């Protein structure tokens, strides 16, 4: 009986202690809730912090520890140099979308101070955001080209304009003569087609497909950093043992290579092949091949087919094209988002028309000329189309005079940027990924055969290139409202052809 009484007293004592603790904690919680949250709001994450961005990175996200007063954040967010953009919100996440791509080769500082949270009055402590500072940069401004003079003739070269000393760097060995190349999406590697120098001298086609590192290292947001390999590391991608390689394209995601090949044993075995990483080439069934271009989503191939252009899937059945454009004889370029394409129509009156075709079915004629439409490139925003066009020159001999124009796709306004001398049709242009400069070459050619140029770099029609200068044309000013502003080209101290910017 005494034992039971002691147990009851112990239990009652424990109950009183527990009730007292619960009551005390309840009072403390009530006091904290009444006084509000005194923690300082902070930036939890910034997606571009210490990263290197490219043209494909058009927005960043800032996540806060607490809901913020949106006006105070938008007012106090500073980016130096300025990057105009638009704000949008999703709870504690701020999304800032750039209006135009960030110029390459630039370091940016982002700061956010004096912003306040959403619920706490700015007169109370803890309402003002803890000051936040971060930095990020864009990719290096770099380009590759093919050398044409001296010991570098036929070699793939690289110039990094963002380096302290932007001197040409040799990427390929002297026994290879490069004819065509495409950079990978991170700019860390280049895929190229090359003939060995002895075959070049003999005039035989022995081209193989190679890959070489550039020494360019990137640290993109939400992706793994590319390997820190030095420039010039060579790798054979596809040999020519059974098939001669005529041309190729590299998908925008860098995962698919499309080649046009012909069998050495059977010339009738001619067609398009696809090549994926760590796999053997596979023929694109039922596609004999013509001019082709991989679509921006890396899922399909636009190619000439009969009297038109076919869009053919790269995987699955190719029996039926995804789309067919019967009026057009070639495709020049896609916009970066894949919603529009620049195509060429060959008219019955022997003129050529440049058309803008979009995914909504709209077809708009931009130019009708008597010469040739050599090339076209969309600017990153998809608002301007830069074109290399030729016009016929009245003379005793047939001559074409090339010129570069910029076409505003919204207004239809055309502005001539630069005109070349007649019969310089071999000029090639390339638009920088940030859309602020054009590279072009001016090759001096001689019909073959010519003494001393047996292993020289050659044009598409097999003329030997004796020398060539590279030029840089700044074009950011053409978006201004002043029609009188005409950019002036700058000659680079480089002898080369086919300049291509790294992505």
């Amino acid at each position: 009986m005494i034992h039971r009484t002691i147990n009851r007293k112990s239990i009652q004592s424990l109950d009183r202690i527990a009730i007292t603790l619960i009551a005390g904690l309840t009072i403390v919680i009530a006091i904290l809730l009444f006084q509000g949250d005194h923690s300082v709001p902070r930036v939890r994450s910034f997606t571009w912090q210490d990263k290197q961005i490219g043209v494909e990175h058009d927005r960043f996200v800032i996540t806060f520890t607490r809901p913020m007063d949106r006006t105070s954040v938008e007012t106090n967010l500073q980016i130096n140099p300025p990057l105009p953009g638009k704000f949008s919100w999703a709870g504690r996440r701020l999304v800032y979308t750039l209006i135009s791509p960030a110029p390459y080769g630039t370091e940016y500082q982002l700061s956010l101070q004096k912003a306040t949270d959403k619920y706490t009055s700015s007169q109370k402590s803890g309402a003002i955001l803890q000051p936040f500072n971060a930095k990020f940069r864009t990719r290096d401004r770099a380009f590759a080209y093919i050398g044409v003079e001296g010991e570098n003739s036929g070699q793939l070269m690289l110039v990094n304009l963002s380096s302290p000393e932007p001197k040409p760097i040799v990427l390929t060995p002297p026994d290879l003569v490069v004819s065509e190349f495409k950079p990978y999406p991170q700019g860390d590697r280049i895929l190229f087609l090359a003939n060995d120098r002895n075959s070049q001298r003999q005039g035989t086609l022995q081209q193989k497909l190679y890959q070489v590192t550039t020494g360019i290292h990137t640290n993109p947001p939400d992706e793994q950093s590319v390997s820190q390999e030095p420039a010039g590391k060579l790798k054979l991608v596809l040999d020519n043992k059974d098939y001669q390689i005529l041309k190729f394209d590299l998908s925008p995601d860098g995962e698919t290579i499309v080649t046009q090949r012909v069998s050495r044993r059977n010339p009738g075995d001619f067609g398009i092949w696809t090549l994926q990483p760590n796999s053997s080439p596979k023929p694109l069934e039922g596609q004999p091949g013509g001019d082709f271009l991989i679509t921006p989503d890396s899922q399909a191939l636009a190619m000439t087919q009969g009297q038109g252009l076919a869009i053919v899937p790269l995987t699955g059945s190719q029996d039926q094209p995804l789309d067919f454009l019967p009026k057009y004889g070639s495709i020049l370029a896609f916009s970066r988002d894949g919603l529009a394409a620049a195509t060429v129509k060959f008219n019955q009156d022997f003129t050529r028309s440049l058309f803008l075709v979009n995914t909504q079915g709209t077809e708009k004629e931009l130019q009708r000329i008597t010469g040739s439409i050599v090339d076209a490139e969309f600017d990153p925003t998809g608002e301007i189309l830069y074109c290399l066009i030729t016009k016929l020159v009245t003379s005793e001999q047939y001559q074409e005079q090339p010129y570069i124009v910029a076409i505003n796709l919204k207004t239809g306004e055309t502005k001539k940027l630069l005109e070349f001398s007649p019969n310089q049709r071999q000029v090639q242009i390339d638009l920088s990924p940030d859309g602020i400069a054009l590279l072009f070459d001016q090759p001096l050619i001689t019909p073959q055969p010519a003494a001393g140029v047996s292993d020289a770099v050659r044009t598409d029609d097999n003329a030997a290139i004796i020398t060539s200068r590279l030029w840089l044309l700044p074009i950011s000013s053409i978006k201004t409202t002043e029609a009188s502003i005409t950019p002036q080209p700058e000659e680079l101290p480089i002898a080369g052809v086919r300049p291509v910017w790294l992505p």
Side-chain angles (χ1 to χ4, degrees):
M1 192 72 176
I2 296 174
H3 179 70
R4 291 180 179 177
T5 303
I6 293 173
N7 285 343
R8 287 195 189 98
K9 289 181 177 180
S10 298
I11 293 172
Q12 291 174 354
S13 178
L14 290 173
D15 287 344
R16 284 195 295 270
I17 293 172
I19 292 171
T20 302
L21 289 173
I22 292 172
L25 290 173
T26 302
I27 294 171
V28 171
I29 293 172
I31 293 173
L32 290 175
L33 290 175
F34 177 77
Q35 290 182 343
D37 186 1
H38 286 268
S39 62
V40 177
R42 295 177 293 104
V43 170
R44 176 169 290 166
S45 65
F46 169 48
T47 54
W48 286 1
Q49 186 164 5
D50 299 322
K51 297 293 184 177
Q52 195 173 32
I53 64 170
V55 66
E56 68 272 25
H57 304 114
D58 61 354
R59 66 194 63 188
F60 63 73
V61 178
I62 297 178
T63 304
F64 300 92
T65 57
R66 293 167 60 179
M68 299 297 294
D69 179 80
R70 297 179 178 182
T71 302
S72 71
V73 172
E74 295 175 9
T75 302
N76 290 285
L77 182 67
Q78 301 291 326
I79 304 175
N80 188 35
L83 279 177
K86 299 178 180 179
F87 295 94
S88 60
W89 290 83
R92 300 181 183 184
R93 291 159 49 93
L94 163 65
V95 180
Y96 188 80
T97 303
L98 303 185
I99 294 175
S100 58
Y104 275 30
T106 307
E107 182 171 280
Y108 294 89
Q109 301 286 337
L110 180 143
S111 65
L112 180 57
Q113 301 181 28
K114 299 181 180 180
T116 58
D117 72 356
K118 184 176 182 179
Y119 299 113
T120 307
S121 168
S122 60
Q123 300 301 317
K124 294 183 179 180
S125 61
I128 299 178
L129 178 80
Q130 178 180 334
F132 177 74
N133 295 281
K135 62 181 180 179
F136 61 93
R137 62 172 292 110
T138 47
R139 290 180 187 158
D140 290 350
R141 184 178 297 278
F143 66 90
Y145 66 96
I146 301 173
V148 294
E149 289 184 353
E151 60 183 11
N152 297 136
S153 178
Q155 291 183 284
L156 188 60
M157 311 290 291
L158 176 75
V159 175
N160 186 348
L161 298 176
S162 299
S163 65
E165 297 183 6
K167 296 180 179 180
I169 300 172
V170 180
L171 297 180
T172 58
D175 61 327
L176 295 179
V177 178
V178 179
S179 60
E180 185 181 357
F181 64 93
K182 305 276 185 181
Y184 278 82
Q186 295 296 334
D188 60 317
R189 295 166 293 155
I190 294 177
L191 187 68
F192 69 93
L193 195 61
N195 209 15
D196 70 84
R197 199 166 292 275
N198 288 332
S199 299
Q200 187 85 355
R201 288 169 180 159
Q202 297 168 9
T204 58
L205 190 65
Q206 301 291 340
Q207 296 187 120
K208 298 177 183 179
L209 202 57
Y210 299 88
Q211 180 188 106
V212 68
T213 56
T214 63
I216 300 290
H217 311 308
T218 61
N219 183 25
D222 304 323
E223 297 179 42
Q224 293 183 349
S225 300
V226 298
S227 59
Q228 303 292 307
E229 293 182 334
K233 187 176 181 180
L234 196 68
K235 177 184 176 181
L236 178 65
V237 175
L238 186 62
D239 62 30
N240 61 357
K241 181 179 179 181
D242 299 318
Y243 289 85
Q244 290 184 354
I245 307 172
L246 304 180
K247 62 174 68 174
F248 76 95
D249 194 17
L250 177 65
S251 63
D253 64 4
E255 294 296 320
T256 304
I257 300 170
V258 175
T259 64
Q260 186 182 72
R261 305 198 299 170
V262 57
S263 171
R264 292 186 175 277
R265 297 183 179 89
N266 177 19
D269 184 3
F270 173 85
I272 303 295
W273 298 66
T274 62
L275 179 61
Q276 301 284 344
N278 303 317
S279 64
S280 300
K282 297 179 181 179
L284 207 60
E285 299 295 342
Q287 306 301 329
D291 289 334
F292 56 85
L293 187 65
I294 301 177
T295 56
D297 62 3
S298 302
Q299 300 300 312
L301 192 69
M303 58 187 304
T304 56
Q305 194 177 80
Q307 299 298 317
L309 291 172
I311 310 296
V312 181
L314 287 174
T315 57
S317 174
Q318 285 91 33
D319 294 336
Q320 293 293 329
L322 300 174
D323 199 0
F324 187 73
L325 305 173
K327 296 195 306 183
Y328 306 107
S330 67
I331 186 165
L332 299 173
F334 287 102
S335 61
R336 192 166 64 90
D337 57 12
L339 299 180
T343 62
V344 178
K345 178 185 176 184
F346 299 96
N347 303 311
Q348 294 183 352
D349 60 358
F350 302 105
T351 62
R352 291 174 174 86
S353 294
L354 175 65
F355 268 83
L356 178 69
V357 182
N358 63 29
T359 54
Q360 284 74 43
T362 302
E363 302 176 13
K364 181 180 179 181
E365 186 178 42
L366 302 175
Q367 294 271 301
R368 180 184 285 253
I369 62 171
T370 56
S372 302
I373 304 170
V374 182
D375 196 7
E377 289 192 60
F378 289 87
D379 86 317
T381 65
E383 297 178 358
I384 297 177
L385 186 67
Y386 296 95
C387 305
L388 179 62
I389 298 174
T390 69
K391 62 180 179 181
L392 296 181
V393 179
T394 303
S395 65
E396 296 180 357
Q397 296 180 343
Y398 179 86
Q399 288 186 316
E400 291 185 71
Q401 184 173 15
Y403 57 98
I404 301 174
V405 297
I407 303 175
N408 188 311
L409 299 177
K410 289 185 176 180
T411 65
E413 179 185 0
T414 298
K415 182 174 183 177
K416 183 180 289 188
L417 302 181
L418 192 64
E419 191 169 80
F420 300 92
S421 301
N423 280 350
Q424 284 191 325
R425 194 178 184 278
Q426 299 298 334
V427 169
Q428 294 194 18
I429 64 173
D430 192 57
L431 178 65
S432 64
D434 54 10
I436 66 174
L438 274 170
L439 274 173
F440 65 91
D441 57 8
Q442 280 191 299
L444 175 63
I445 63 174
T446 181
Q448 79 150 3
V453 293
S454 59
D455 62 343
V457 179
R458 299 189 176 276
T459 63
D460 292 339
D461 54 6
N462 207 32
I465 299 175
I466 299 175
T467 187
S468 176
R469 308 306 301 179
L470 296 185
W471 296 75
L472 182 70
L473 181 67
I475 54 176
S476 57
S477 61
I478 71 166
K479 295 183 179 181
T480 66
T481 56
E482 296 184 34
S484 59
I485 296 178
T486 301
Q488 297 300 314
E490 173 189 351
E491 183 177 4
L492 303 178
I494 296 172
V497 292
R498 298 163 198 161
V500 175
W501 292 99
L502 296 193

